Amino acid sequence: MWDDSFPSFLIGLREGLEAGLIVSVLVATLVRAGARSRLAQVWTGVLAAIALSMSFGAVLTFTAASLSTTAQEAFGGALSIVAVAFVTAMVFWMRRSARSLAGEIREKVTEALTMGAGVLILTSFLAVGREGLETALFLWTTARAADESTGPLAGAGVGLLLAALLCWGLYRRVLRIDLTRFFTVTGAVLVVIAAGVLGYGLRDLQEGRVLPGRTALAFDLTGSVDAGSWYSTLLQGVLNLTPAMTWLQVAGYVGYLAVVMPLFVRGARGVPGARGATTPPPPAKTRPDRPAGPAATRRRLLLPVAVVAVPALLAGLVVALAHPEPAAGQTVAVSATDCGQGFTAPKPGRQDFRMHNTGNQTSEVYLIDPSSNAVYGEIEGLAPGTTRDLVTTVAGGTYAWRCVPTDGKAVTSKAVRVTGAAGAHAVVPVTQRDLAAPLKAYRAYVNRGLSTLVTRTRQLGDDIRAGHLDTARTDWLTAHRTYASLGAAYGTFEDFDQKINGRPDGLPGGVRDQNFTGFLRIEYGLWHGQSAAELKGPAQELAEDAAGLQKAFPHQDFDPSDLPLRAHEILENTLQFELTGDTDQGSGTGLATADANLAGTRELLTVLRPLLTSRAPRLLPTVDADIARLQHLLDSAHHGNRWTPVDRLDPAAKARIDGATGQLLEDLSPVPDLLEIRKSA
């Protein structure tokens, strides 16, 4: 939990120390001015600031919970950017103000003493409230980045407690701290942490589709970095550095550090250190304290209660308005013998059903239209004794629950009728039988492609054995494009894919490792001056692996659910590898491979078209237009037998190709959900 706790611990310590110093100066000034009776006004302002900060955190939490997943990403991303701005301003302000903070607060208190209770309350409220709001916003951002971890709250609690102890020590003059140095060092660390929060926020905005480039990865180390290792969790928790980051994230992270850190360090060098906490302020002229009667005591209590209650009430109002639906939803029982107990006809609108598994088996749960089996919402893997929420929109129509235990038959509840206008979105479920015909057609396509691949890899081997390396370069590209066009079957090829098209990434010897084989090994040799004798062995091995794959494929288990998944993943890999030049071993033919991947995607959509047309009739025309646009851009980089290398593309042309690929990916993203195989028995 330490990796999630440290950023919040640091912000809690810094902000708590800032607020605590301010309160200490306020209290010390009043005590030394002989105005102890006015301390209640200071604590009233402090309590109001704390209540406002906690209410602000509640509003952020419940407002985000009422949004859709995409809107939550956008909302969280925007607030992450705001949090970075606040933290940046805070570290610069405190670096400048550490020396003069006490004097400025004393002046304000002295003025407030002559102007009545309201001004003193406002002074303490504003002084502490700013720190509280900054803390609430930053903690909300870091807690969201840590998902369900309690680390951020625990870290913040420890930081605030330590800050309170330090402030007590400074006030009692039993502790001396070089405050300027403290705020300078912690400020530098916070600048680095804020860079990570900025990167996380930019990623959220991309996931929320506010910013482009969601699939344009600058690097992806997920295959070679253990995400569960101590160093990986430490980097992710403290610095928000993840194994895969987009170009926009990297640019934001590096750009922020490159600009802010030098400015902060340069400014810190010009600020001399300051030790200790305070010096006694000059006495202030105040009215003498008078004993308070019962009526006066009640009036004094009324104000603190009001300033604490009002922010909480306002927060509750915001939460209620931001979260009108679903309200307290129905609790519906799920079991292998009785599905849907407690289900009654809901009102139209957004509903929250609390699904409680009362049985002894894990179960899939679907809200369906019993007449068509269309699915309005689902919960996968509801374990015995657990309760989970299913939130969906209900409109006019017929509804029922279907429960499918892990080891048992499907049970369907009684149907209920909801009156009102249509508008609820449902997905007609897909079964393995529905995907049988597309799978058969695609297997036939792959079989034909493998037959062609065997012929072309043998020709490539003949070219190399004869020493015709110029011809081999041409035939290499033809054979490689044949293999690339079979993208939807890569997961079925098992170990053959690594042998035939594996990259040198992660191999101890890199491109010279003996386990670096296949097309990319031969590409490296052909375009790096290796002789025919050096390439003869790898070419022979490639031809044998292609023949072995052709023989094995008819007996390999091709999961039908792979087809809808690959509709998106083929071009996702294209954007990640081919269009970044990551797989290029010297031939500069990344766009040719991208073109072959596009052809494979088009073939896959052809076999899935009947299922998609009936479920999302508007999707395919959009996708077809995207494919035509991307095909035109790729064709413009193809000149006779030559393809423009990715690193030599005009920046505008590269941006257009990346943008067209990204748009196609966005439009293909619903396919896996539309064609997901859902259990029915």
Side-chain angles (χ1 to χ4, degrees), residues 127-144:
V128 178
R130 192 197 68 166
E131 318 301 334
L133 290 176
E134 288 176 353
T135 303
L137 179 58
F138 195 84
L139 286 182
W140 184 86
T141 302
T142 54
R144 187 172 181 276

Side-chain angles (χ1 to χ4, degrees), residues 503-648:
R503 294 179 291 134
D505 303 30
L507 296 177
V511 294
R512 301 190 181 279
D513 195 284
Q514 63 178 358
N515 291 319
F516 180 34
T517 61
F519 278 112
L520 301 189
R521 165 65 183 90
I522 297 173
E523 176 189 7
Y524 179 84
L526 287 173
W527 274 271
H528 283 82
Q530 291 187 352
S531 66
E534 293 175 285
L535 293 173
K536 184 169 61 175
Q540 177 64 28
E541 189 175 358
L542 173 62
E544 291 174 355
D545 287 335
L549 176 58
Q550 182 190 27
K551 182 178 179 180
F553 178 69
H555 309 289
Q556 289 176 330
D557 183 20
F558 199 147
D559 189 343
S561 62
D562 279 356
L563 290 180
L565 287 175
R566 298 294 183 264
H568 182 269
E569 290 179 351
I570 295 173
L571 290 177
E572 194 170 60
N573 289 338
T574 301
L575 190 61
Q576 181 179 350
F577 298 119
E578 276 71 40
L579 295 184
T580 60
D582 185 71
T583 55
D584 184 20
Q585 300 299 320
S587 68
T589 57
L591 294 183
T593 306
D595 181 73
N597 289 339
L598 184 60
T601 301
R602 188 185 291 109
E603 179 65 29
L604 178 58
L605 291 174
T606 297
V607 301
L608 294 176
R609 186 170 292 269
L611 296 177
L612 290 172
T613 300
S614 61
R615 288 166 175 79
R618 298 181 181 179
L619 175 64
L620 285 175
T622 301
V623 168
D624 290 341
D626 291 342
I627 290 176
R629 178 188 174 207
L630 179 56
Q631 186 67 67
H632 173 74
L633 293 172
L634 293 174
D635 289 343
S636 65
H638 186 199
H639 311 286
N641 293 327
R642 296 181 61 256
W643 290 81
T644 303
V646 170
D647 59 359
R648 296 182 188 175

Side-chain angles (χ1 to χ4, degrees), residues 246-270:
T246 66
W247 283 106
L248 183 60
Q249 280 183 281
V250 173
Y253 190 96
V254 175
Y256 176 87
L257 284 180
V259 173
V260 175
M261 186 62 80
L263 291 175
F264 182 81
V265 173
R266 188 181 305 128
R269 289 174 180 169

Side-chain angles (χ1 to χ4, degrees), residues 15-37:
E15 295 287 302
L17 190 55
E18 287 182 36
L21 287 173
I22 293 170
V23 173
S24 298
V25 174
L26 287 169
V27 171
T29 304
L30 290 174
V31 169
R32 290 167 187 170
R36 289 179 176 272
S37 63

